[in-house]
Amino acid sequence: MRIGPLTLQSNLFLSPLAGYTNLPFRLTVREVGGLGLATTDLVNARSLLEKNPKAFKLIETSPADRPLAVQLFGSVPGEMRDAALYLESLGVASVDINMGCPVRKVCRVGGGSAMMTEHDKTAVLVKGMVDAVKIPVTAKMRLGWDDQSITAPDLARALEDVGVAAIFIHGRTREQGFAGTINLSGIRSVVQAVKTIPVIGNGDVTTPQAAKKMLNDTGCAGVSIGRGAFYNPWIFQHTLHYLSTGELLPEPRFEDRVRVMCGHLDLMVEVFGEELGCRMFRKVAPWYAKRFGPATEFNKRVVQISSKAEFHEGLENYLRWRRQFLDENGQLMPRFEPAPLVASFMQEPAAARREHIPVPQGPVEVW
Ligand SMILES: Cc1cc2nc3c(=O)[nH]c(=O)nc-3n(C[C@H](O)[C@H](O)[C@H](O)COP(=O)(O)O)c2cc1C
């Protein structure tokens, strides 16, 4: 798969998830395998130019963290251009622009959505970035305000005309927030609107089968996965395998989930220091635990950790507690196994409403 001059190993992408897609998470997912391109959390262009330490931390990377896209957020053309130039000078593989939701009505909320109030003005801003750098510039957007105003196809076409190398499209409207079903025909309308650039579909992909359905039903060139990777860092490797062989690999074993989770914590501590790394991990570990089966005893402890020792003590305690749910072979008894993950667009609408993927709190208007 190609994005402009960039050749990727797979057509699977890690979506930007503010507060989560930091260096440790990206390295964790990359080590498991299957990922084509990872993206940082969104980074304010002005903060980057002002050399704000928090913005710098967001773009912290390492040689194993390649290829990497940085997602920029901002509405001042000169700042967005200069930030893109700066990122290019650092060796970043591509720059993604956060467009929030591409509609007039949301211009009040500022940031990405505000820059979408005028397609022409946005096209000028984006052209300024595209003309300044050699690396690809991509854009990420939602479908539109609501089902009556699906504006993404027009915007995607306008951006292709000014040289954007790919479009990432979350198949929901702004009105939907994170609720309801992903609109595959909406994604398809964006695919059909552009002439040659790849469109990457996004939203609710939690299984290899869901990725395949999104590719088949929309004609998109790739799939971007966010929350599905929280649950399951294996999703990229398993999806790539499924797409190329048709074979579904077995779910990762509990021991492997624990091993990868512990490696993730080690990286958090390396990158953020012990106390901050552990504190940040309090909101990460429960996502792993969603696939552990009964996990109340784990979650209770992990949300209080400030050191690796506390984490491991809690984990040991949990492993002892969890024995009551195991059979004589040490396997979780079937009745305690977590329900299989099913993407919203793979099930009946009522079930999709009931079982939507949890969304951590945050500014939905820029996601
Ligand atoms: C916690 C969280 C943070 C997010 N942060 C960003 C962000 O920084 N930039 C962005 O474009 N989208 C952001 N999103 C949206 C995701 O990239 C993605 O479009 C959305 O979650 C749907 O994909 P998924 O169902 O695979 O998670 C965020 C979503 C969540 C849940």
mmCIF file of all heavy atoms in Angstrom, residues 14-21 40-43 71 96-100 140-142 169-172 178 182 202-206 224-230 287 357-362 366-367, ligand 1:
data_model
loop_
_atom_site.group_PDB
_atom_site.id
_atom_site.type_symbol
_atom_site.label_atom_id
_atom_site.label_comp_id
_atom_site.label_asym_id
_atom_site.label_seq_id
_atom_site.Cartn_x
_atom_site.Cartn_y
_atom_site.Cartn_z
ATOM 1 N N LEU A 14 -2.944 2.496 12.753
ATOM 2 C CA LEU A 14 -3.376 2.765 14.131
ATOM 3 C C LEU A 14 -3.948 4.181 14.174
ATOM 4 O O LEU A 14 -3.247 5.148 13.872
ATOM 5 C CB LEU A 14 -2.175 2.641 15.080
ATOM 6 C CG LEU A 14 -2.449 2.983 16.549
ATOM 7 C CD1 LEU A 14 -3.444 2.003 17.172
ATOM 8 C CD2 LEU A 14 -1.144 2.967 17.357
ATOM 9 N N SER A 15 -5.219 4.294 14.543
ATOM 10 C CA SER A 15 -5.875 5.620 14.609
ATOM 11 C C SER A 15 -5.291 6.449 15.738
ATOM 12 O O SER A 15 -4.916 5.899 16.772
ATOM 13 C CB SER A 15 -7.367 5.458 14.914
ATOM 14 O OG SER A 15 -8.024 4.787 13.904
ATOM 15 N N PRO A 16 -5.288 7.768 15.581
ATOM 16 C CA PRO A 16 -4.867 8.610 16.705
ATOM 17 C C PRO A 16 -5.869 8.533 17.849
ATOM 18 O O PRO A 16 -7.080 8.644 17.626
ATOM 19 C CB PRO A 16 -4.839 10.028 16.103
ATOM 20 C CG PRO A 16 -5.715 9.962 14.907
ATOM 21 C CD PRO A 16 -5.686 8.547 14.409
ATOM 22 N N LEU A 17 -5.374 8.312 19.049
ATOM 23 C CA LEU A 17 -6.235 8.247 20.234
ATOM 24 C C LEU A 17 -5.570 9.107 21.300
ATOM 25 O O LEU A 17 -4.606 8.671 21.949
ATOM 26 C CB LEU A 17 -6.349 6.805 20.729
ATOM 27 C CG LEU A 17 -6.993 5.788 19.788
ATOM 28 C CD1 LEU A 17 -6.705 4.366 20.245
ATOM 29 C CD2 LEU A 17 -8.494 6.000 19.679
ATOM 30 N N ALA A 18 -6.066 10.332 21.445
ATOM 31 C CA ALA A 18 -5.429 11.271 22.370
ATOM 32 C C ALA A 18 -5.346 10.666 23.765
ATOM 33 O O ALA A 18 -6.334 10.142 24.282
ATOM 34 C CB ALA A 18 -6.221 12.575 22.398
ATOM 35 N N GLY A 19 -4.172 10.701 24.348
ATOM 36 C CA GLY A 19 -3.986 10.147 25.686
ATOM 37 C C GLY A 19 -3.541 8.695 25.675
ATOM 38 O O GLY A 19 -3.209 8.146 26.724
ATOM 39 N N TYR A 20 -3.538 8.078 24.506
ATOM 40 C CA TYR A 20 -3.211 6.640 24.444
ATOM 41 C C TYR A 20 -2.139 6.296 23.413
ATOM 42 O O TYR A 20 -1.311 5.419 23.655
ATOM 43 C CB TYR A 20 -4.453 5.806 24.105
ATOM 44 C CG TYR A 20 -5.487 5.824 25.191
ATOM 45 C CD1 TYR A 20 -6.469 6.803 25.227
ATOM 46 C CD2 TYR A 20 -5.475 4.866 26.205
ATOM 47 C CE1 TYR A 20 -7.424 6.837 26.239
ATOM 48 C CE2 TYR A 20 -6.421 4.886 27.217
ATOM 49 C CZ TYR A 20 -7.392 5.871 27.226
ATOM 50 O OH TYR A 20 -8.322 5.898 28.222
ATOM 51 N N THR A 21 -2.187 6.946 22.230
ATOM 52 C CA THR A 21 -1.285 6.496 21.165
ATOM 53 C C THR A 21 0.107 7.131 21.329
ATOM 54 O O THR A 21 0.671 7.707 20.401
ATOM 55 C CB THR A 21 -1.879 6.782 19.757
ATOM 56 O OG1 THR A 21 -2.648 7.989 19.788
ATOM 57 C CG2 THR A 21 -2.746 5.657 19.299
ATOM 58 N N THR A 40 0.451 9.602 15.885
ATOM 59 C CA THR A 40 0.497 10.130 17.261
ATOM 60 C C THR A 40 -0.898 10.628 17.669
ATOM 61 O O THR A 40 -1.792 10.737 16.846
ATOM 62 C CB THR A 40 1.426 11.349 17.342
ATOM 63 O OG1 THR A 40 0.899 12.372 16.481
ATOM 64 C CG2 THR A 40 2.848 11.001 16.941
ATOM 65 N N ASP A 41 -1.030 10.995 18.932
ATOM 66 C CA ASP A 41 -2.189 11.772 19.377
ATOM 67 C C ASP A 41 -2.185 13.084 18.589
ATOM 68 O O ASP A 41 -1.153 13.480 18.052
ATOM 69 C CB ASP A 41 -2.035 12.213 20.840
ATOM 70 C CG ASP A 41 -1.958 11.082 21.844
ATOM 71 O OD1 ASP A 41 -1.752 9.929 21.449
ATOM 72 O OD2 ASP A 41 -2.093 11.394 23.034
ATOM 73 N N LEU A 42 -3.298 13.787 18.614
ATOM 74 C CA LEU A 42 -3.280 15.080 17.917
ATOM 75 C C LEU A 42 -2.380 16.073 18.668
ATOM 76 O O LEU A 42 -2.308 16.083 19.895
ATOM 77 C CB LEU A 42 -4.696 15.622 17.717
ATOM 78 C CG LEU A 42 -5.456 16.398 18.759
ATOM 79 C CD1 LEU A 42 -6.761 16.881 18.173
ATOM 80 C CD2 LEU A 42 -5.714 15.578 19.992
ATOM 81 N N VAL A 43 -1.652 16.873 17.882
ATOM 82 C CA VAL A 43 -0.677 17.806 18.440
ATOM 83 C C VAL A 43 -1.013 19.202 17.922
ATOM 84 O O VAL A 43 -1.190 19.383 16.708
ATOM 85 C CB VAL A 43 0.759 17.447 17.971
ATOM 86 C CG1 VAL A 43 1.780 18.368 18.619
ATOM 87 C CG2 VAL A 43 1.087 15.991 18.276
ATOM 88 N N GLN A 71 -0.187 13.696 13.882
ATOM 89 C CA GLN A 71 -1.431 14.397 13.564
ATOM 90 C C GLN A 71 -1.386 15.821 14.095
ATOM 91 O O GLN A 71 -1.180 16.035 15.296
ATOM 92 C CB GLN A 71 -2.650 13.684 14.139
ATOM 93 C CG GLN A 71 -3.921 14.336 13.600
ATOM 94 C CD GLN A 71 -5.206 13.783 14.190
ATOM 95 O OE1 GLN A 71 -5.443 13.911 15.381
ATOM 96 N NE2 GLN A 71 -6.031 13.185 13.360
ATOM 97 N N ASP A 96 -0.600 14.187 9.318
ATOM 98 C CA ASP A 96 -2.049 14.049 9.191
ATOM 99 C C ASP A 96 -2.696 15.308 9.771
ATOM 100 O O ASP A 96 -2.203 15.870 10.745
ATOM 101 C CB ASP A 96 -2.493 12.807 9.983
ATOM 102 C CG ASP A 96 -3.968 12.509 9.799
ATOM 103 O OD1 ASP A 96 -4.441 12.549 8.641
ATOM 104 O OD2 ASP A 96 -4.646 12.227 10.810
ATOM 105 N N ILE A 97 -3.794 15.737 9.160
ATOM 106 C CA ILE A 97 -4.480 16.927 9.675
ATOM 107 C C ILE A 97 -5.792 16.497 10.318
ATOM 108 O O ILE A 97 -6.608 15.818 9.693
ATOM 109 C CB ILE A 97 -4.796 17.930 8.542
ATOM 110 C CG1 ILE A 97 -3.528 18.241 7.743
ATOM 111 C CG2 ILE A 97 -5.404 19.208 9.118
ATOM 112 C CD1 ILE A 97 -3.812 19.049 6.487
ATOM 113 N N ASN A 98 -5.986 16.921 11.557
ATOM 114 C CA ASN A 98 -7.233 16.623 12.252
ATOM 115 C C ASN A 98 -8.291 17.603 11.786
ATOM 116 O O ASN A 98 -8.175 18.804 11.989
ATOM 117 C CB ASN A 98 -7.024 16.754 13.763
ATOM 118 C CG ASN A 98 -8.308 16.516 14.525
ATOM 119 O OD1 ASN A 98 -9.284 17.240 14.354
ATOM 120 N ND2 ASN A 98 -8.326 15.504 15.345
ATOM 121 N N MET A 99 -9.321 17.079 11.152
ATOM 122 C CA MET A 99 -10.365 17.961 10.639
ATOM 123 C C MET A 99 -11.628 17.862 11.460
ATOM 124 O O MET A 99 -12.661 18.395 11.058
ATOM 125 C CB MET A 99 -10.658 17.616 9.192
ATOM 126 C CG MET A 99 -9.432 17.758 8.348
ATOM 127 S SD MET A 99 -9.772 18.456 6.772
ATOM 128 C CE MET A 99 -8.158 19.026 6.316
ATOM 129 N N GLY A 100 -11.568 17.161 12.573
ATOM 130 C CA GLY A 100 -12.772 17.054 13.386
ATOM 131 C C GLY A 100 -13.927 16.671 12.498
ATOM 132 O O GLY A 100 -13.867 15.694 11.782
ATOM 133 N N LYS A 140 -7.853 13.619 8.222
ATOM 134 C CA LYS A 140 -8.791 12.705 8.900
ATOM 135 C C LYS A 140 -10.063 13.453 9.253
ATOM 136 O O LYS A 140 -10.008 14.528 9.855
ATOM 137 C CB LYS A 140 -8.151 12.132 10.161
ATOM 138 C CG LYS A 140 -9.094 11.219 10.933
ATOM 139 C CD LYS A 140 -8.361 10.417 11.966
ATOM 140 C CE LYS A 140 -9.284 9.491 12.729
ATOM 141 N NZ LYS A 140 -10.165 10.193 13.683
ATOM 142 N N MET A 141 -11.181 12.881 8.889
ATOM 143 C CA MET A 141 -12.465 13.569 9.100
ATOM 144 C C MET A 141 -13.585 12.579 9.419
ATOM 145 O O MET A 141 -13.419 11.369 9.256
ATOM 146 C CB MET A 141 -12.824 14.361 7.839
ATOM 147 C CG MET A 141 -12.982 13.498 6.608
ATOM 148 S SD MET A 141 -13.248 14.433 5.074
ATOM 149 C CE MET A 141 -11.630 15.089 4.737
ATOM 150 N N ARG A 142 -14.703 13.149 9.853
ATOM 151 C CA ARG A 142 -15.939 12.357 9.971
ATOM 152 C C ARG A 142 -16.786 12.571 8.721
ATOM 153 O O ARG A 142 -16.433 13.395 7.872
ATOM 154 C CB ARG A 142 -16.721 12.807 11.206
ATOM 155 C CG ARG A 142 -16.185 12.253 12.508
ATOM 156 C CD ARG A 142 -17.007 12.788 13.658
ATOM 157 N NE ARG A 142 -16.527 12.231 14.917
ATOM 158 C CZ ARG A 142 -17.253 11.417 15.689
ATOM 159 N NH1 ARG A 142 -18.490 11.079 15.338
ATOM 160 N NH2 ARG A 142 -16.759 10.968 16.822
ATOM 161 N N ILE A 169 -11.271 8.278 7.021
ATOM 162 C CA ILE A 169 -12.661 8.662 7.267
ATOM 163 C C ILE A 169 -13.299 7.784 8.353
ATOM 164 O O ILE A 169 -13.411 6.570 8.193
ATOM 165 C CB ILE A 169 -13.480 8.643 5.941
ATOM 166 C CG1 ILE A 169 -14.931 9.020 6.197
ATOM 167 C CG2 ILE A 169 -13.380 7.330 5.192
ATOM 168 C CD1 ILE A 169 -15.161 10.481 6.335
ATOM 169 N N HIS A 170 -13.659 8.438 9.465
ATOM 170 C CA HIS A 170 -14.410 7.762 10.533
ATOM 171 C C HIS A 170 -15.867 7.753 10.072
ATOM 172 O O HIS A 170 -16.456 8.827 9.880
ATOM 173 C CB HIS A 170 -14.215 8.548 11.846
ATOM 174 C CG HIS A 170 -14.969 7.998 13.008
ATOM 175 N ND1 HIS A 170 -15.016 8.620 14.228
ATOM 176 C CD2 HIS A 170 -15.709 6.862 13.160
ATOM 177 C CE1 HIS A 170 -15.750 7.907 15.078
ATOM 178 N NE2 HIS A 170 -16.176 6.838 14.451
ATOM 179 N N GLY A 171 -16.432 6.563 9.910
ATOM 180 C CA GLY A 171 -17.753 6.439 9.296
ATOM 181 C C GLY A 171 -18.920 6.799 10.198
ATOM 182 O O GLY A 171 -19.899 6.054 10.280
ATOM 183 N N ARG A 172 -18.804 7.915 10.893
ATOM 184 C CA ARG A 172 -19.905 8.426 11.705
ATOM 185 C C ARG A 172 -20.027 9.926 11.473
ATOM 186 O O ARG A 172 -19.066 10.578 11.080
ATOM 187 C CB ARG A 172 -19.644 8.224 13.197
ATOM 188 C CG ARG A 172 -19.820 6.828 13.700
ATOM 189 C CD ARG A 172 -19.914 6.819 15.222
ATOM 190 N NE ARG A 172 -20.224 5.490 15.717
ATOM 191 C CZ ARG A 172 -19.295 4.558 15.998
ATOM 192 N NH1 ARG A 172 -18.017 4.829 15.864
ATOM 193 N NH2 ARG A 172 -19.670 3.369 16.432
ATOM 194 N N PHE A 178 -20.002 8.839 19.336
ATOM 195 C CA PHE A 178 -19.451 7.490 19.173
ATOM 196 C C PHE A 178 -20.565 6.443 19.219
ATOM 197 O O PHE A 178 -20.299 5.259 19.329
ATOM 198 C CB PHE A 178 -18.407 7.193 20.251
ATOM 199 C CG PHE A 178 -17.074 7.801 19.934
ATOM 200 C CD1 PHE A 178 -16.792 9.107 20.283
ATOM 201 C CD2 PHE A 178 -16.105 7.075 19.258
ATOM 202 C CE1 PHE A 178 -15.571 9.679 19.980
ATOM 203 C CE2 PHE A 178 -14.875 7.629 18.949
ATOM 204 C CZ PHE A 178 -14.607 8.935 19.309
ATOM 205 N N ILE A 182 -21.542 2.254 12.428
ATOM 206 C CA ILE A 182 -20.692 2.830 11.379
ATOM 207 C C ILE A 182 -21.438 2.754 10.043
ATOM 208 O O ILE A 182 -22.030 1.734 9.701
ATOM 209 C CB ILE A 182 -19.368 2.029 11.306
ATOM 210 C CG1 ILE A 182 -18.498 2.350 12.514
ATOM 211 C CG2 ILE A 182 -18.623 2.275 10.005
ATOM 212 C CD1 ILE A 182 -17.923 3.747 12.528
ATOM 213 N N ASN A 202 -12.538 3.820 8.790
ATOM 214 C CA ASN A 202 -12.284 3.759 10.234
ATOM 215 C C ASN A 202 -13.606 3.714 10.998
ATOM 216 O O ASN A 202 -14.581 4.324 10.600
ATOM 217 C CB ASN A 202 -11.468 5.006 10.646
ATOM 218 C CG ASN A 202 -11.450 5.266 12.144
ATOM 219 O OD1 ASN A 202 -11.903 6.297 12.605
ATOM 220 N ND2 ASN A 202 -10.940 4.320 12.917
ATOM 221 N N GLY A 203 -13.565 2.974 12.100
ATOM 222 C CA GLY A 203 -14.683 2.976 13.026
ATOM 223 C C GLY A 203 -15.136 1.593 13.420
ATOM 224 O O GLY A 203 -15.544 0.790 12.563
ATOM 225 N N ASP A 204 -14.990 1.274 14.718
ATOM 226 C CA ASP A 204 -15.555 0.057 15.306
ATOM 227 C C ASP A 204 -14.938 -1.245 14.821
ATOM 228 O O ASP A 204 -15.519 -2.309 15.043
ATOM 229 C CB ASP A 204 -17.071 -0.023 15.056
ATOM 230 C CG ASP A 204 -17.843 0.894 15.986
ATOM 231 O OD1 ASP A 204 -17.208 1.681 16.718
ATOM 232 O OD2 ASP A 204 -19.088 0.831 15.979
ATOM 233 N N VAL A 205 -13.806 -1.196 14.155
ATOM 234 C CA VAL A 205 -13.218 -2.462 13.700
ATOM 235 C C VAL A 205 -12.528 -3.119 14.900
ATOM 236 O O VAL A 205 -11.560 -2.598 15.440
ATOM 237 C CB VAL A 205 -12.217 -2.240 12.540
ATOM 238 C CG1 VAL A 205 -11.495 -3.542 12.209
ATOM 239 C CG2 VAL A 205 -12.960 -1.718 11.320
ATOM 240 N N THR A 206 -13.100 -4.242 15.315
ATOM 241 C CA THR A 206 -12.544 -4.950 16.477
ATOM 242 C C THR A 206 -12.157 -6.390 16.135
ATOM 243 O O THR A 206 -11.671 -7.110 17.007
ATOM 244 C CB THR A 206 -13.559 -4.993 17.644
ATOM 245 O OG1 THR A 206 -14.814 -5.405 17.108
ATOM 246 C CG2 THR A 206 -13.704 -3.647 18.317
ATOM 247 N N SER A 224 -8.257 1.713 9.407
ATOM 248 C CA SER A 224 -7.585 2.283 10.565
ATOM 249 C C SER A 224 -8.327 1.846 11.830
ATOM 250 O O SER A 224 -9.560 1.893 11.876
ATOM 251 C CB SER A 224 -7.576 3.808 10.445
ATOM 252 O OG SER A 224 -6.778 4.355 11.467
ATOM 253 N N ILE A 225 -7.575 1.412 12.823
ATOM 254 C CA ILE A 225 -8.170 0.817 14.018
ATOM 255 C C ILE A 225 -7.702 1.580 15.249
ATOM 256 O O ILE A 225 -6.501 1.826 15.414
ATOM 257 C CB ILE A 225 -7.767 -0.669 14.134
ATOM 258 C CG1 ILE A 225 -8.245 -1.442 12.896
ATOM 259 C CG2 ILE A 225 -8.332 -1.288 15.420
ATOM 260 C CD1 ILE A 225 -7.764 -2.878 12.819
ATOM 261 N N GLY A 226 -8.657 1.976 16.096
ATOM 262 C CA GLY A 226 -8.312 2.674 17.327
ATOM 263 C C GLY A 226 -8.574 1.807 18.539
ATOM 264 O O GLY A 226 -7.715 1.059 19.005
ATOM 265 N N ARG A 227 -9.832 1.871 19.046
ATOM 266 C CA ARG A 227 -10.141 1.183 20.295
ATOM 267 C C ARG A 227 -9.951 -0.332 20.198
ATOM 268 O O ARG A 227 -9.634 -0.981 21.189
ATOM 269 C CB ARG A 227 -11.560 1.550 20.745
ATOM 270 C CG ARG A 227 -11.660 2.997 21.205
ATOM 271 C CD ARG A 227 -13.103 3.444 21.299
ATOM 272 N NE ARG A 227 -13.732 3.437 19.985
ATOM 273 C CZ ARG A 227 -15.021 3.507 19.762
ATOM 274 N NH1 ARG A 227 -15.852 3.577 20.787
ATOM 275 N NH2 ARG A 227 -15.508 3.513 18.536
ATOM 276 N N GLY A 228 -10.109 -0.882 19.005
ATOM 277 C CA GLY A 228 -9.898 -2.319 18.831
ATOM 278 C C GLY A 228 -8.479 -2.728 19.209
ATOM 279 O O GLY A 228 -8.251 -3.856 19.647
ATOM 280 N N ALA A 229 -7.545 -1.794 19.051
ATOM 281 C CA ALA A 229 -6.154 -2.107 19.408
ATOM 282 C C ALA A 229 -5.924 -2.023 20.913
ATOM 283 O O ALA A 229 -4.988 -2.622 21.436
ATOM 284 C CB ALA A 229 -5.206 -1.161 18.674
ATOM 285 N N PHE A 230 -6.769 -1.265 21.633
ATOM 286 C CA PHE A 230 -6.696 -1.261 23.107
ATOM 287 C C PHE A 230 -7.007 -2.643 23.652
ATOM 288 O O PHE A 230 -6.360 -3.160 24.530
ATOM 289 C CB PHE A 230 -7.809 -0.413 23.723
ATOM 290 C CG PHE A 230 -7.688 1.057 23.654
ATOM 291 C CD1 PHE A 230 -8.806 1.823 23.941
ATOM 292 C CD2 PHE A 230 -6.514 1.691 23.368
ATOM 293 C CE1 PHE A 230 -8.753 3.179 23.924
ATOM 294 C CE2 PHE A 230 -6.456 3.049 23.354
ATOM 295 C CZ PHE A 230 -7.579 3.805 23.626
ATOM 296 N N TRP A 287 -8.161 -1.834 29.940
ATOM 297 C CA TRP A 287 -8.539 -2.242 28.583
ATOM 298 C C TRP A 287 -8.028 -3.653 28.304
ATOM 299 O O TRP A 287 -8.727 -4.457 27.698
ATOM 300 C CB TRP A 287 -7.979 -1.266 27.539
ATOM 301 C CG TRP A 287 -8.770 0.004 27.471
ATOM 302 C CD1 TRP A 287 -8.559 1.130 28.185
ATOM 303 C CD2 TRP A 287 -9.914 0.246 26.658
ATOM 304 N NE1 TRP A 287 -9.502 2.075 27.872
ATOM 305 C CE2 TRP A 287 -10.343 1.567 26.934
ATOM 306 C CE3 TRP A 287 -10.627 -0.500 25.717
ATOM 307 C CZ2 TRP A 287 -11.446 2.145 26.315
ATOM 308 C CZ3 TRP A 287 -11.726 0.076 25.090
ATOM 309 C CH2 TRP A 287 -12.123 1.377 25.390
ATOM 310 N N ILE A 357 -18.663 0.115 21.768
ATOM 311 C CA ILE A 357 -17.343 0.081 22.410
ATOM 312 C C ILE A 357 -17.263 1.272 23.356
ATOM 313 O O ILE A 357 -17.597 2.387 22.972
ATOM 314 C CB ILE A 357 -16.216 0.208 21.371
ATOM 315 C CG1 ILE A 357 -16.467 -0.690 20.166
ATOM 316 C CG2 ILE A 357 -14.865 -0.113 21.987
ATOM 317 C CD1 ILE A 357 -15.414 -0.552 19.077
ATOM 318 N N PRO A 358 -16.800 1.068 24.568
ATOM 319 C CA PRO A 358 -16.710 2.202 25.486
ATOM 320 C C PRO A 358 -15.804 3.307 24.931
ATOM 321 O O PRO A 358 -14.855 3.038 24.204
ATOM 322 C CB PRO A 358 -16.092 1.598 26.745
ATOM 323 C CG PRO A 358 -16.165 0.131 26.594
ATOM 324 C CD PRO A 358 -16.309 -0.174 25.150
ATOM 325 N N VAL A 359 -16.136 4.551 25.286
ATOM 326 C CA VAL A 359 -15.322 5.686 24.862
ATOM 327 C C VAL A 359 -14.842 6.415 26.116
ATOM 328 O O VAL A 359 -15.658 6.861 26.920
ATOM 329 C CB VAL A 359 -16.155 6.681 24.025
ATOM 330 C CG1 VAL A 359 -15.261 7.794 23.492
ATOM 331 C CG2 VAL A 359 -16.855 5.973 22.898
ATOM 332 N N PRO A 360 -13.542 6.531 26.292
ATOM 333 C CA PRO A 360 -13.080 7.313 27.442
ATOM 334 C C PRO A 360 -13.563 8.759 27.302
ATOM 335 O O PRO A 360 -13.851 9.206 26.197
ATOM 336 C CB PRO A 360 -11.555 7.244 27.315
ATOM 337 C CG PRO A 360 -11.268 6.153 26.353
ATOM 338 C CD PRO A 360 -12.446 6.038 25.460
ATOM 339 N N GLN A 361 -13.634 9.480 28.418
ATOM 340 C CA GLN A 361 -14.108 10.862 28.344
ATOM 341 C C GLN A 361 -13.130 11.729 27.582
ATOM 342 O O GLN A 361 -11.925 11.523 27.656
ATOM 343 C CB GLN A 361 -14.236 11.419 29.752
ATOM 344 C CG GLN A 361 -15.487 10.908 30.419
ATOM 345 C CD GLN A 361 -15.718 11.608 31.731
ATOM 346 O OE1 GLN A 361 -14.799 12.169 32.302
ATOM 347 N NE2 GLN A 361 -16.946 11.575 32.185
ATOM 348 N N GLY A 362 -13.634 12.731 26.862
ATOM 349 C CA GLY A 362 -12.731 13.618 26.134
ATOM 350 C C GLY A 362 -13.487 14.460 25.133
ATOM 351 O O GLY A 362 -14.706 14.359 25.019
ATOM 352 N N VAL A 366 -13.333 17.029 18.500
ATOM 353 C CA VAL A 366 -12.134 16.946 17.659
ATOM 354 C C VAL A 366 -11.754 15.509 17.325
ATOM 355 O O VAL A 366 -10.747 15.263 16.691
ATOM 356 C CB VAL A 366 -10.912 17.679 18.274
ATOM 357 C CG1 VAL A 366 -11.144 19.155 18.334
ATOM 358 C CG2 VAL A 366 -10.560 17.131 19.639
ATOM 359 N N TRP A 367 -12.550 14.552 17.744
ATOM 360 C CA TRP A 367 -12.281 13.162 17.428
ATOM 361 C C TRP A 367 -13.147 12.694 16.272
ATOM 362 O O TRP A 367 -13.158 11.584 15.918
ATOM 363 C CB TRP A 367 -12.527 12.256 18.641
ATOM 364 C CG TRP A 367 -11.625 12.561 19.793
ATOM 365 C CD1 TRP A 367 -10.533 13.374 19.818
ATOM 366 C CD2 TRP A 367 -11.742 12.039 21.123
ATOM 367 N NE1 TRP A 367 -9.984 13.387 21.063
ATOM 368 C CE2 TRP A 367 -10.703 12.586 21.902
ATOM 369 C CE3 TRP A 367 -12.653 11.167 21.733
ATOM 370 C CZ2 TRP A 367 -10.545 12.292 23.237
ATOM 371 C CZ3 TRP A 367 -12.496 10.874 23.061
ATOM 372 C CH2 TRP A 367 -11.446 11.433 23.815
HETATM 373 C C1 LIG B 1 -9.860 8.239 23.582
HETATM 374 C C2 LIG B 1 -9.952 8.654 22.143
HETATM 375 C C3 LIG B 1 -9.090 9.624 21.666
HETATM 376 C C4 LIG B 1 -9.144 10.024 20.330
HETATM 377 N N1 LIG B 1 -8.256 10.956 19.885
HETATM 378 C C5 LIG B 1 -8.270 11.326 18.575
HETATM 379 C C6 LIG B 1 -7.320 12.254 18.062
HETATM 380 O O1 LIG B 1 -6.425 12.735 18.769
HETATM 381 N N2 LIG B 1 -7.406 12.595 16.751
HETATM 382 C C7 LIG B 1 -8.370 12.064 15.928
HETATM 383 O O2 LIG B 1 -8.404 12.394 14.737
HETATM 384 N N3 LIG B 1 -9.248 11.151 16.381
HETATM 385 C C8 LIG B 1 -9.207 10.773 17.668
HETATM 386 N N4 LIG B 1 -10.091 9.822 18.123
HETATM 387 C C9 LIG B 1 -10.967 9.142 17.157
HETATM 388 C C10 LIG B 1 -10.298 7.863 16.662
HETATM 389 O O3 LIG B 1 -9.114 8.143 15.938
HETATM 390 C C11 LIG B 1 -11.238 7.051 15.756
HETATM 391 O O4 LIG B 1 -11.601 7.835 14.647
HETATM 392 C C12 LIG B 1 -12.490 6.595 16.500
HETATM 393 O O5 LIG B 1 -12.202 6.144 17.800
HETATM 394 C C13 LIG B 1 -13.199 5.462 15.743
HETATM 395 O O6 LIG B 1 -12.326 4.382 15.542
HETATM 396 P P1 LIG B 1 -12.329 3.069 16.514
HETATM 397 O O7 LIG B 1 -13.740 2.613 16.621
HETATM 398 O O8 LIG B 1 -11.439 2.102 15.792
HETATM 399 O O9 LIG B 1 -11.796 3.516 17.841
HETATM 400 C C14 LIG B 1 -10.085 9.444 19.459
HETATM 401 C C15 LIG B 1 -10.960 8.475 19.944
HETATM 402 C C16 LIG B 1 -10.906 8.073 21.265
HETATM 403 C C17 LIG B 1 -11.849 7.012 21.741
#
